[in-house]
Coordinates of all heavy atoms in Angstrom, one line a residue:
M1 N -15.0 -7.5 -7.0 CA -14.4 -8.0 -5.7 C -13.2 -7.2 -5.3 O -13.1 -6.9 -4.1 CB -14.1 -9.4 -5.8 CG -13.7 -10.1 -4.5 SD -15.1 -10.0 -3.3 CE -15.2 -11.7 -3.0
T2 N -12.4 -6.8 -6.3 CA -11.1 -6.0 -5.9 C -11.5 -4.7 -5.2 O -10.8 -4.3 -4.3 CB -10.3 -5.7 -7.2 OG1 -9.9 -7.0 -7.8 CG2 -9.0 -5.0 -6.8
R3 N -12.5 -4.0 -5.7 CA -13.0 -2.8 -5.1 C -13.2 -2.9 -3.6 O -12.8 -2.1 -2.8 CB -14.2 -2.3 -5.9 CG -14.6 -0.9 -5.3 CD -15.8 -0.4 -6.0 NE -16.2 0.9 -5.5 CZ -15.9 2.1 -6.0 NH1 -15.2 2.2 -7.1 NH2 -16.4 3.2 -5.4
E4 N -13.9 -4.0 -3.2 CA -14.3 -4.2 -1.8 C -13.0 -4.3 -1.0 O -12.8 -3.9 0.1 CB -15.2 -5.3 -1.6 CG -16.5 -5.1 -2.1 CD -16.8 -5.4 -3.6 OE1 -15.8 -6.0 -4.2 OE2 -17.7 -4.9 -4.2
Y5 N -12.0 -5.2 -1.6 CA -10.8 -5.4 -0.9 C -10.0 -4.1 -0.7 O -9.4 -3.7 0.4 CB -9.9 -6.3 -1.6 CG -10.3 -7.8 -1.4 CD1 -10.6 -8.6 -2.5 CD2 -10.3 -8.4 -0.2 CE1 -11.0 -10.0 -2.3 CE2 -10.7 -9.7 0.1 CZ -11.0 -10.5 -1.1 OH -11.3 -11.8 -0.8
L6 N -10.0 -3.2 -1.8 CA -9.2 -2.0 -1.7 C -9.9 -1.1 -0.7 O -9.2 -0.4 0.0 CB -9.2 -1.3 -3.1 CG -8.3 -2.2 -4.2 CD1 -8.5 -1.5 -5.5 CD2 -6.9 -2.2 -3.8
E7 N -11.2 -1.0 -0.6 CA -11.8 -0.1 0.3 C -11.6 -0.6 1.7 O -11.2 0.3 2.6 CB -13.3 -0.1 0.1 CG -13.8 0.7 -1.1 CD -15.3 0.6 -1.5 OE1 -15.9 -0.4 -1.0 OE2 -15.7 1.4 -2.2
A8 N -11.5 -1.8 1.9 CA -11.2 -2.5 3.3 C -9.8 -2.2 3.6 O -9.5 -2.1 4.9 CB -11.6 -4.0 3.3
A9 N -8.9 -2.2 2.7 CA -7.5 -1.9 2.9 C -7.1 -0.4 3.3 O -6.1 -0.1 3.7 CB -6.6 -2.4 1.7
G10 N -8.2 0.5 3.0 CA -8.0 1.9 3.3 C -7.5 2.7 2.1 O -7.2 3.9 2.2
V11 N -7.7 2.1 0.9 CA -7.3 2.9 -0.3 C -8.3 4.1 -0.5 O -9.6 3.8 -0.5 CB -7.3 2.0 -1.6 CG1 -7.0 2.8 -2.8 CG2 -6.2 1.0 -1.5
P12 N -7.9 5.3 -0.6 CA -8.9 6.4 -0.9 C -9.7 6.2 -2.1 O -9.3 5.7 -3.1 CB -7.9 7.7 -1.0 CG -6.7 7.3 -0.5 CD -6.5 5.7 -0.6
R13 N -11.0 6.6 -2.0 CA -11.9 6.3 -3.1 C -11.4 6.9 -4.4 O -11.6 6.2 -5.4 CB -13.3 7.1 -2.7 CG -14.3 7.0 -3.8 CD -15.6 7.3 -3.4 NE -16.1 6.2 -2.5 CZ -17.1 6.1 -1.6 NH1 -17.6 7.3 -1.4 NH2 -17.4 5.1 -1.0
R14 N -10.7 8.0 -4.4 CA -10.2 8.6 -5.6 C -9.3 7.6 -6.4 O -9.1 7.7 -7.7 CB -9.5 9.9 -5.3 CG -8.8 10.5 -6.4 CD -8.1 11.7 -6.0 NE -7.4 12.3 -7.1 CZ -6.6 13.4 -7.0 NH1 -6.4 13.9 -5.8 NH2 -5.9 13.8 -8.0
Y15 N -8.7 6.6 -5.7 CA -7.6 5.9 -6.4 C -8.1 4.4 -6.4 O -7.3 3.5 -6.7 CB -6.3 5.9 -5.4 CG -5.7 7.3 -5.5 CD1 -6.0 8.1 -4.4 CD2 -4.9 7.6 -6.5 CE1 -5.4 9.4 -4.4 CE2 -4.3 8.9 -6.6 CZ -4.6 9.8 -5.5 OH -4.1 11.0 -5.5
L16 N -9.3 4.1 -6.3 CA -9.8 2.7 -6.4 C -9.6 2.1 -7.8 O -9.6 0.8 -7.9 CB -11.3 2.6 -6.0 CG -11.6 2.9 -4.4 CD1 -13.1 2.9 -4.2 CD2 -10.8 1.9 -3.6
R17 N -9.5 2.8 -8.8 CA -9.3 2.4 -10.2 C -7.8 2.4 -10.6 O -7.6 2.0 -11.7 CB -10.2 3.2 -11.1 CG -11.7 3.0 -10.9 CD -12.5 3.7 -12.0 NE -13.8 3.4 -11.8 CZ -14.7 4.2 -12.3 NH1 -14.4 5.3 -13.0 NH2 -16.0 4.0 -12.1
S18 N -6.9 2.7 -9.7 CA -5.5 2.7 -10.0 C -5.0 1.3 -10.3 O -5.4 0.3 -9.6 CB -4.7 3.2 -8.8 OG -5.1 4.6 -8.6
R19 N -4.2 1.1 -11.4 CA -3.6 -0.2 -11.7 C -2.2 0.0 -12.1 O -1.8 1.1 -12.6 CB -4.5 -0.9 -12.8 CG -5.9 -1.2 -12.5 CD -5.9 -2.2 -11.4 NE -7.3 -2.6 -11.0 CZ -8.1 -1.9 -10.1 NH1 -7.6 -0.9 -9.5 NH2 -9.2 -2.4 -9.8
L20 N -1.4 -1.0 -12.1 CA 0.0 -0.9 -12.5 C 0.1 -0.5 -13.9 O 1.1 0.1 -14.3 CB 0.7 -2.3 -12.3 CG 1.1 -2.5 -10.9 CD1 2.0 -3.8 -10.8 CD2 1.9 -1.4 -10.2
T21 N -0.9 -0.8 -14.8 CA -0.8 -0.5 -16.2 C -0.8 1.1 -16.3 O -0.5 1.6 -17.5 CB -1.9 -1.1 -17.1 OG1 -3.1 -0.7 -16.4 CG2 -1.7 -2.6 -17.1
D22 N -1.1 1.8 -15.3 CA -1.0 3.3 -15.4 C 0.4 3.8 -15.4 O 0.6 5.0 -15.6 CB -1.7 3.9 -14.2 CG -3.2 3.6 -14.0 OD1 -3.8 3.1 -15.1 OD2 -3.8 3.7 -13.0
F23 N 1.4 2.9 -15.1 CA 2.8 3.3 -15.0 C 3.6 2.7 -16.1 O 3.2 1.7 -16.8 CB 3.4 2.9 -13.6 CG 2.5 3.6 -12.5 CD1 1.4 3.0 -11.9 CD2 2.9 4.8 -12.1 CE1 0.8 3.7 -10.9 CE2 2.3 5.5 -11.1 CZ 1.2 4.9 -10.5
N24 N 4.9 3.1 -16.2 CA 5.7 2.6 -17.3 C 6.1 1.1 -17.0 O 6.0 0.6 -15.9 CB 6.9 3.5 -17.4 CG 7.9 3.4 -16.2 OD1 8.2 2.4 -15.7 ND2 8.4 4.6 -15.8
E25 N 6.6 0.5 -18.1 CA 6.9 -1.0 -18.0 C 8.0 -1.3 -16.9 O 7.8 -2.3 -16.3 CB 7.4 -1.5 -19.4 CG 6.3 -1.6 -20.4 CD 5.3 -2.7 -20.1 OE1 5.8 -3.7 -19.6 OE2 4.1 -2.6 -20.3
R26 N 9.0 -0.5 -16.7 CA 10.0 -0.8 -15.9 C 9.5 -0.8 -14.4 O 9.8 -1.7 -13.6 CB 11.1 0.3 -16.0 CG 12.4 0.0 -15.2 CD 13.4 1.1 -15.4 NE 13.9 1.6 -14.1 CZ 13.5 2.7 -13.5 NH1 12.7 3.5 -14.1 NH2 13.9 3.0 -12.3
R27 N 8.6 0.2 -14.1 CA 8.1 0.2 -12.8 C 7.0 -0.9 -12.5 O 7.1 -1.5 -11.5 CB 7.3 1.5 -12.6 CG 6.8 1.7 -11.2 CD 6.5 3.1 -10.8 NE 7.7 3.9 -10.7 CZ 7.8 5.2 -10.8 NH1 6.7 5.9 -11.0 NH2 8.9 5.8 -10.7
Q28 N 6.3 -1.2 -13.6 CA 5.4 -2.4 -13.5 C 6.2 -3.7 -13.2 O 5.8 -4.5 -12.3 CB 4.6 -2.6 -14.8 CG 3.6 -1.6 -15.1 CD 2.9 -1.8 -16.4 OE1 2.5 -3.0 -16.7 NE2 2.7 -0.7 -17.2
Q29 N 7.2 -3.9 -13.9 CA 8.0 -5.0 -13.7 C 8.6 -5.2 -12.3 O 8.6 -6.2 -11.7 CB 9.2 -5.2 -14.8 CG 10.1 -6.4 -14.7 CD 11.1 -6.4 -15.7 OE1 11.3 -5.6 -16.5 NE2 12.0 -7.4 -15.6
K30 N 9.2 -4.1 -11.8 CA 9.8 -4.1 -10.5 C 8.7 -4.3 -9.4 O 8.9 -5.2 -8.5 CB 10.4 -2.7 -10.2 CG 11.3 -2.7 -9.0 CD 12.4 -3.7 -9.1 CE 13.3 -3.6 -7.9 NZ 14.2 -4.7 -7.8
I31 N 7.6 -3.7 -9.6 CA 6.5 -3.9 -8.5 C 6.0 -5.4 -8.6 O 5.8 -6.1 -7.6 CB 5.3 -3.0 -8.8 CG1 5.8 -1.5 -8.4 CG2 4.1 -3.3 -7.9 CD1 6.3 -1.3 -7.0
R32 N 5.9 -6.0 -9.8 CA 5.4 -7.4 -10.0 C 6.4 -8.3 -9.4 O 6.0 -9.3 -8.7 CB 5.2 -7.6 -11.4 CG 3.9 -7.1 -11.9 CD 3.3 -7.5 -13.2 NE 2.1 -7.0 -13.5 CZ 1.9 -6.0 -14.4 NH1 2.8 -5.6 -15.2 NH2 0.6 -5.5 -14.6
E33 N 7.7 -8.0 -9.4 CA 8.7 -8.8 -8.8 C 8.5 -8.9 -7.2 O 8.6 -9.8 -6.6 CB 10.1 -8.3 -9.1 CG 10.6 -8.7 -10.5 CD 11.9 -8.0 -10.9 OE1 12.6 -7.5 -9.9 OE2 12.2 -7.9 -12.0
I34 N 8.3 -7.7 -6.7 CA 8.1 -7.4 -5.3 C 6.8 -8.2 -4.8 O 6.9 -8.9 -3.8 CB 8.0 -6.0 -4.9 CG1 9.4 -5.3 -5.2 CG2 7.6 -5.8 -3.4 CD1 9.5 -3.9 -5.1
V35 N 5.8 -8.0 -5.5 CA 4.5 -8.6 -5.2 C 4.5 -10.1 -5.2 O 3.9 -10.8 -4.4 CB 3.4 -8.0 -6.1 CG1 2.1 -8.8 -5.9 CG2 3.1 -6.6 -5.8
S36 N 5.2 -10.6 -6.2 CA 5.2 -12.1 -6.4 C 6.2 -12.8 -5.5 O 6.2 -14.0 -5.4 CB 5.5 -12.5 -7.8 OG 6.9 -12.1 -8.2
S37 N 7.1 -12.1 -4.7 CA 8.0 -12.6 -3.8 C 7.3 -13.3 -2.7 O 6.5 -12.6 -2.0 CB 8.9 -11.6 -3.4 OG 9.8 -12.1 -2.3
P38 N 7.6 -14.5 -2.4 CA 6.8 -15.2 -1.3 C 7.3 -14.7 0.1 O 6.6 -14.8 1.0 CB 7.2 -16.7 -1.5 CG 8.5 -16.7 -2.2 CD 8.5 -15.4 -3.1
N39 N 8.4 -14.0 0.1 CA 9.1 -13.5 1.4 C 8.7 -12.0 1.5 O 9.3 -11.4 2.4 CB 10.5 -13.7 1.5 CG 10.8 -15.3 1.4 OD1 10.0 -16.0 2.0 ND2 11.9 -15.6 0.7
G40 N 7.9 -11.4 0.7 CA 7.6 -10.0 0.8 C 7.0 -9.7 2.1 O 6.1 -10.3 2.5
S41 N 7.5 -8.6 2.8 CA 7.0 -8.3 4.1 C 6.6 -6.8 4.2 O 6.1 -6.3 5.2 CB 8.0 -8.5 5.2 OG 9.2 -7.8 5.0
G42 N 6.7 -6.1 3.1 CA 6.3 -4.7 3.0 C 6.9 -3.9 1.9 O 7.9 -4.4 1.3
L43 N 6.5 -2.7 1.7 CA 6.9 -1.8 0.7 C 6.8 -0.4 1.1 O 5.8 0.0 1.7 CB 6.0 -2.0 -0.6 CG 6.3 -1.2 -1.8 CD1 7.7 -1.5 -2.3 CD2 5.2 -1.3 -2.8
W44 N 8.0 0.3 1.0 CA 8.0 1.7 1.4 C 8.1 2.5 0.1 O 9.0 2.3 -0.7 CB 9.3 1.9 2.2 CG 9.5 3.3 2.7 CD1 10.2 4.2 2.1 CD2 9.0 3.8 3.9 NE1 10.1 5.4 2.7 CE2 9.4 5.2 3.9 CE3 8.2 3.4 5.0 CZ2 9.1 6.1 4.9 CZ3 7.9 4.2 5.9 CH2 8.3 5.6 6.0
I45 N 7.2 3.5 0.0 CA 7.3 4.4 -1.2 C 7.4 5.8 -0.7 O 6.7 6.2 0.2 CB 6.0 4.3 -2.0 CG1 5.8 2.8 -2.5 CG2 6.0 5.3 -3.2 CD1 4.5 2.6 -3.2
S46 N 8.5 6.5 -1.2 CA 8.7 7.8 -0.7 C 8.9 8.7 -1.9 O 9.2 8.3 -3.0 CB 9.9 7.9 0.2 OG 11.1 7.6 -0.5
G47 N 8.7 9.9 -1.7 CA 8.8 11.0 -2.8 C 8.2 12.3 -2.4 O 7.5 12.4 -1.4
G48 N 8.5 13.3 -3.2 CA 7.9 14.7 -2.9 C 6.4 14.7 -3.2 O 5.8 13.8 -3.8
Y49 N 5.8 15.9 -2.8 CA 4.4 16.1 -3.0 C 4.1 16.1 -4.5 O 4.8 16.6 -5.3 CB 4.1 17.4 -2.4 CG 2.6 17.8 -2.6 CD1 1.7 17.3 -1.7 CD2 2.2 18.6 -3.6 CE1 0.4 17.6 -1.9 CE2 0.9 19.0 -3.8 CZ -0.1 18.5 -2.9 OH -1.4 18.8 -3.0
G50 N 3.0 15.3 -4.8 CA 2.6 15.2 -6.2 C 3.4 14.2 -7.1 O 3.3 14.3 -8.3
A51 N 4.3 13.4 -6.5 CA 5.1 12.5 -7.3 C 4.4 11.3 -7.8 O 4.9 10.6 -8.6 CB 6.4 12.1 -6.4
G52 N 3.2 11.0 -7.1 CA 2.5 9.8 -7.6 C 2.5 8.7 -6.6 O 2.1 7.6 -7.0
K53 N 3.0 8.9 -5.4 CA 3.1 7.9 -4.4 C 1.7 7.2 -4.0 O 1.6 6.0 -4.1 CB 3.7 8.4 -3.1 CG 5.0 9.0 -3.3 CD 5.5 9.6 -1.9 CE 4.7 10.7 -1.3 NZ 4.7 12.0 -2.2
T54 N 0.7 8.0 -3.8 CA -0.6 7.5 -3.5 C -1.2 6.6 -4.7 O -1.7 5.5 -4.5 CB -1.5 8.6 -3.2 OG1 -1.0 9.4 -2.1 CG2 -2.9 8.1 -2.6
H55 N -1.1 7.2 -5.9 CA -1.5 6.4 -7.0 C -0.8 5.1 -7.2 O -1.4 4.1 -7.5 CB -1.3 7.3 -8.2 CG -1.8 6.8 -9.5 ND1 -1.7 7.5 -10.7 CD2 -2.4 5.7 -9.8 CE1 -2.2 6.8 -11.7 NE2 -2.7 5.7 -11.3
L56 N 0.6 5.2 -7.0 CA 1.3 3.9 -7.2 C 1.0 2.9 -6.1 O 0.8 1.7 -6.4 CB 2.8 4.2 -7.1 CG 3.8 3.0 -7.2 CD1 3.5 2.2 -8.5 CD2 5.2 3.4 -7.1
L57 N 0.8 3.3 -4.9 CA 0.6 2.4 -3.7 C -0.8 1.8 -3.9 O -1.0 0.7 -3.7 CB 0.6 3.1 -2.4 CG 0.4 2.3 -1.2 CD1 1.4 1.1 -1.1 CD2 0.6 3.1 0.1
A58 N -1.8 2.6 -4.4 CA -3.2 2.0 -4.7 C -3.1 1.0 -5.8 O -3.7 -0.1 -5.7 CB -4.1 3.2 -5.1
A59 N -2.2 1.2 -6.8 CA -2.0 0.2 -7.9 C -1.4 -1.0 -7.4 O -1.7 -2.1 -7.8 CB -1.2 0.9 -9.0
V60 N -0.4 -0.9 -6.5 CA 0.2 -2.0 -5.9 C -0.8 -2.9 -5.1 O -0.8 -4.1 -5.2 CB 1.4 -1.6 -5.0 CG1 2.0 -2.7 -4.1 CG2 2.6 -1.0 -5.8
C61 N -1.6 -2.2 -4.3 CA -2.6 -2.9 -3.5 C -3.5 -3.8 -4.5 O -3.9 -4.9 -4.3 CB -3.4 -2.0 -2.7 SG -2.6 -1.2 -1.4
A62 N -4.0 -3.1 -5.6 CA -4.8 -3.8 -6.6 C -4.1 -5.0 -7.2 O -4.7 -6.1 -7.3 CB -5.3 -2.8 -7.7
E63 N -2.8 -4.8 -7.5 CA -2.0 -6.0 -8.0 C -1.9 -7.1 -7.1 O -2.0 -8.2 -7.5 CB -0.6 -5.4 -8.4 CG 0.3 -6.4 -9.0 CD -0.2 -6.8 -10.5 OE1 -0.9 -6.1 -11.1 OE2 0.3 -7.8 -10.9
V64 N -1.7 -6.8 -5.8 CA -1.6 -7.9 -4.8 C -3.1 -8.7 -4.8 O -3.0 -9.9 -4.9 CB -1.4 -7.3 -3.4 CG1 -1.6 -8.4 -2.3 CG2 0.0 -6.8 -3.3
F65 N -4.1 -7.9 -4.8 CA -5.4 -8.6 -4.8 C -5.7 -9.4 -6.0 O -6.4 -10.4 -6.0 CB -6.6 -7.6 -4.6 CG -6.5 -7.1 -3.1 CD1 -6.6 -5.7 -2.9 CD2 -6.4 -7.8 -2.0 CE1 -6.6 -5.1 -1.6 CE2 -6.4 -7.3 -0.7 CZ -6.5 -6.0 -0.6
E66 N -5.4 -8.8 -7.2 CA -5.7 -9.4 -8.5 C -4.7 -10.5 -8.9 O -5.1 -11.4 -9.7 CB -5.8 -8.3 -9.5 CG -6.9 -7.3 -9.3 CD -6.8 -6.2 -10.2 OE1 -6.0 -5.9 -11.0 OE2 -7.9 -5.4 -10.1
S67 N -3.5 -10.5 -8.4 CA -2.6 -11.5 -9.0 C -2.0 -12.5 -8.0 O -1.2 -13.3 -8.3 CB -1.4 -10.8 -9.7 OG -0.6 -10.1 -8.7
T68 N -2.5 -12.4 -6.7 CA -2.0 -13.3 -5.7 C -3.1 -13.8 -4.8 O -4.2 -13.2 -4.9 CB -0.9 -12.7 -4.8 OG1 -1.6 -11.7 -3.9 CG2 0.2 -12.0 -5.5
S69 N -2.9 -14.7 -3.9 CA -3.9 -15.2 -3.0 C -3.9 -14.4 -1.7 O -4.7 -14.6 -0.8 CB -3.8 -16.6 -2.8 OG -2.6 -16.9 -2.2
R70 N -2.9 -13.5 -1.6 CA -2.7 -12.8 -0.4 C -3.8 -11.7 -0.2 O -4.1 -11.0 -1.2 CB -1.4 -12.1 -0.3 CG -0.2 -13.1 -0.1 CD 1.1 -12.4 0.1 NE 1.7 -12.4 -1.2 CZ 2.8 -11.6 -1.5 NH1 3.3 -10.9 -0.7 NH2 3.2 -11.7 -2.7
R71 N -4.3 -11.5 1.0 CA -5.2 -10.4 1.2 C -4.9 -9.6 2.4 O -5.7 -8.9 3.0 CB -6.7 -11.1 1.5 CG -7.2 -11.9 0.4 CD -7.5 -10.9 -0.8 NE -8.1 -11.7 -2.0 CZ -7.4 -11.9 -3.0 NH1 -6.2 -11.5 -3.2 NH2 -8.0 -12.5 -4.1
S72 N -3.7 -9.6 2.7 CA -3.2 -8.8 3.9 C -2.5 -7.5 3.5 O -1.2 -7.4 3.5 CB -2.2 -9.7 4.8 OG -1.1 -10.1 4.0
V73 N -3.3 -6.6 2.9 CA -2.7 -5.4 2.4 C -3.3 -4.2 3.2 O -4.6 -4.3 3.6 CB -3.1 -5.2 1.0 CG1 -2.7 -3.7 0.5 CG2 -2.4 -6.2 0.1
E74 N -2.5 -3.3 3.7 CA -3.0 -2.2 4.4 C -2.4 -0.9 3.8 O -1.2 -0.8 3.6 CB -2.5 -2.2 6.0 CG -3.1 -1.1 6.7 CD -2.7 -1.0 8.2 OE1 -2.2 -2.1 8.6 OE2 -2.9 -0.1 8.9
F75 N -3.3 0.0 3.4 CA -2.9 1.3 2.8 C -2.8 2.3 3.9 O -3.8 2.5 4.6 CB -4.0 1.6 1.8 CG -3.6 2.8 1.0 CD1 -3.2 2.7 -0.4 CD2 -3.8 4.1 1.5 CE1 -2.9 3.8 -1.1 CE2 -3.5 5.2 0.7 CZ -3.1 5.1 -0.6
A76 N -1.6 2.8 4.1 CA -1.5 3.8 5.2 C -0.5 4.9 4.8 O 0.5 4.5 4.2 CB -1.1 3.1 6.5
D77 N -0.7 6.0 5.3 CA 0.3 7.1 5.1 C 1.1 7.2 6.3 O 0.8 6.5 7.4 CB -0.5 8.4 4.8 CG -1.4 8.9 5.9 OD1 -1.2 8.4 7.0 OD2 -2.3 9.7 5.7
W78 N 2.2 7.9 6.2 CA 3.2 7.9 7.3 C 2.5 8.5 8.6 O 2.8 7.9 9.7 CB 4.3 8.8 6.9 CG 5.3 9.0 8.1 CD1 5.6 10.1 8.8 CD2 6.0 8.0 8.8 NE1 6.5 9.8 9.8 CE2 6.8 8.5 9.8 CE3 6.0 6.5 8.6 CZ2 7.5 7.7 10.7 CZ3 6.8 5.8 9.5 CH2 7.6 6.4 10.5
A79 N 1.7 9.4 8.6 CA 1.0 10.0 9.8 C 0.2 8.8 10.5 O 0.3 8.7 11.7 CB 0.1 11.1 9.4
T80 N -0.4 7.9 9.8 CA -1.2 6.9 10.4 C -0.3 5.9 10.9 O -0.5 5.3 12.0 CB -2.1 6.2 9.2 OG1 -3.0 7.2 8.7 CG2 -2.9 5.1 9.8
V81 N 0.8 5.5 10.2 CA 1.7 4.5 10.7 C 2.4 5.0 11.9 O 2.4 4.2 13.0 CB 2.9 4.2 9.6 CG1 3.9 3.4 10.2 CG2 2.2 3.5 8.4
F82 N 2.8 6.3 12.0 CA 3.4 6.9 13.2 C 2.4 6.9 14.3 O 2.8 6.5 15.5 CB 4.0 8.3 12.9 CG 4.7 8.8 14.0 CD1 6.0 8.3 14.4 CD2 4.2 9.9 14.7 CE1 6.7 8.9 15.4 CE2 4.9 10.4 15.8 CZ 6.1 9.9 16.1
R83 N 1.2 7.3 14.1 CA 0.2 7.3 15.2 C 0.0 5.9 15.8 O -0.1 5.8 16.9 CB -1.1 7.8 14.6 CG -2.2 8.2 15.6 CD -3.3 9.0 15.1 NE -3.8 8.7 13.7 CZ -3.6 9.4 12.7 NH1 -2.9 10.6 12.8 NH2 -3.9 9.1 11.4
N84 N -0.1 4.9 14.9 CA -0.3 3.6 15.3 C 0.9 3.0 16.2 O 0.7 2.3 17.2 CB -0.5 2.6 14.2 CG -1.9 2.8 13.5 OD1 -2.8 3.3 14.1 ND2 -2.1 2.2 12.3
M85 N 2.1 3.4 15.7 CA 3.3 3.0 16.6 C 3.3 3.7 17.9 O 3.6 3.0 18.9 CB 4.6 3.4 15.8 CG 4.8 2.6 14.5 SD 6.2 3.2 13.4 CE 7.4 3.8 14.5
R86 N 3.0 5.0 17.9 CA 2.8 5.7 19.3 C 1.8 5.1 20.2 O 2.0 5.0 21.4 CB 2.6 7.1 19.1 CG 3.9 7.9 18.5 CD 3.7 9.3 18.7 NE 3.5 9.7 20.1 CZ 4.3 10.4 20.9 NH1 5.4 10.8 20.4 NH2 4.0 10.7 22.1
S87 N 0.7 4.7 19.6 CA -0.4 4.2 20.4 C 0.0 2.8 21.0 O -0.6 2.3 22.0 CB -1.7 4.0 19.7 OG -1.6 3.0 18.7
R88 N 1.0 2.1 20.5 CA 1.4 0.9 21.0 C 2.6 0.9 21.9 O 3.1 -0.1 22.3 CB 1.7 -0.1 19.8 CG 0.6 -0.4 19.0 CD 0.9 -1.3 17.9 NE -0.3 -1.7 17.1 CZ -0.4 -1.5 15.8 NH1 0.6 -1.1 15.1 NH2 -1.5 -1.8 15.2
T89 N 3.1 2.2 22.2 CA 4.2 2.3 23.0 C 3.9 3.3 24.1 O 2.9 4.2 24.0 CB 5.5 2.8 22.2 OG1 5.2 4.2 21.7 CG2 5.9 1.9 21.2
D90 N 4.7 3.2 25.2 CA 4.5 4.2 26.3 C 5.8 4.9 26.6 O 6.7 4.3 27.1 CB 4.1 3.4 27.5 CG 3.7 4.3 28.7 OD1 3.4 5.5 28.5 OD2 3.9 3.9 29.8
Y91 N 5.9 6.1 25.9 CA 7.1 7.0 26.1 C 8.3 6.2 25.6 O 9.4 6.2 26.2 CB 7.3 7.4 27.5 CG 6.3 8.2 28.1 CD1 5.3 7.7 28.9 CD2 6.2 9.6 27.7 CE1 4.2 8.5 29.4 CE2 5.1 10.4 28.1 CZ 4.1 9.8 29.0 OH 3.1 10.6 29.4
G92 N 8.2 5.6 24.4 CA 9.3 4.9 23.8 C 9.6 3.5 24.3 O 10.5 2.8 23.8
V93 N 8.9 3.0 25.3 CA 9.0 1.7 25.7 C 7.7 0.9 25.3 O 6.6 1.2 25.6 CB 9.1 1.6 27.3 CG1 9.2 0.2 27.8 CG2 10.3 2.5 27.8
A94 N 8.0 -0.2 24.6 CA 6.9 -1.1 24.1 C 6.0 -1.6 25.3 O 6.5 -1.9 26.3 CB 7.5 -2.3 23.4
A95 N 4.7 -1.3 25.0 CA 3.8 -1.7 26.0 C 3.5 -3.2 26.0 O 3.6 -3.8 24.9 CB 2.5 -1.0 25.9
D96 N 3.3 -3.9 27.1 CA 3.0 -5.4 27.1 C 1.6 -5.5 26.7 O 0.6 -5.0 27.3 CB 3.2 -5.9 28.5 CG 4.6 -5.9 28.9 OD1 5.5 -5.8 28.1 OD2 4.9 -6.0 30.2
R97 N 1.4 -6.3 25.6 CA 0.0 -6.5 25.1 C 0.0 -7.9 24.6 O 0.8 -8.6 24.1 CB -0.3 -5.6 23.9 CG -0.4 -4.2 24.4 CD -0.9 -3.3 23.2 NE -0.7 -1.9 23.8 CZ -1.7 -1.1 23.8 NH1 -2.9 -1.4 23.4 NH2 -1.5 0.2 24.2

């Protein structure tokens, strides 16, 4: 079932098997704290090319699906987020929708 959720969230096929256990204990613990927070509203991951951001984000998505009842996860790169923001605005002024 997790695979279907991850695909629907936009996780690239290559990363569908990513899990937090792929990372060190410190990182696992920090991510689990964020995921289990009832007030969590988002997570920003940044770093250089090849740092493992995509792998980590895919693992975070899987953790959300496997350890919580939340199903509102969207996997997006910055270009997608920016494109979506621009499509919702008209020359920097928010469009009425």
Side-chain angles (χ1 to χ4, degrees):
M1 187 65 124
T2 300
R3 182 182 178 96
E4 290 83 14
Y5 283 121
L6 294 175
E7 287 175 338
V11 173
R13 177 165 284 160
R14 174 181 176 186
Y15 295 98
L16 292 175
R17 293 186 177 159
S18 298
R19 296 298 181 271
L20 283 186
T21 55
D22 299 342
F23 298 91
N24 67 44
E25 286 291 325
R26 190 177 127 258
R27 185 162 291 159
Q28 289 179 45
Q29 180 181 358
K30 188 65 176 168
I31 294 298
R32 286 191 175 112
E33 288 173 13
I34 292 167
V35 167
S36 65
S37 170
N39 299 323
S41 61
L43 176 65
W44 179 270
I45 298 174
S46 65
Y49 180 81
K53 300 176 300 292
T54 304
H55 185 180
L56 179 58
L57 185 55
V60 169
C61 290
E63 182 70 16
V64 168
F65 290 132
E66 293 171 353
S67 68
T68 72
S69 60
R70 287 184 268 167
R71 297 293 180 252
S72 60
V73 172
E74 180 179 353
F75 185 100
D77 59 22
W78 175 243
T80 302
V81 171
F82 186 71
R83 190 172 34 255
N84 289 342
M85 287 171 41
R86 282 196 59 119
S87 72
R88 294 182 181 128
T89 63
D90 183 25
Y91 298 102
V93 178
D96 293 338
R97 293 187 191 233

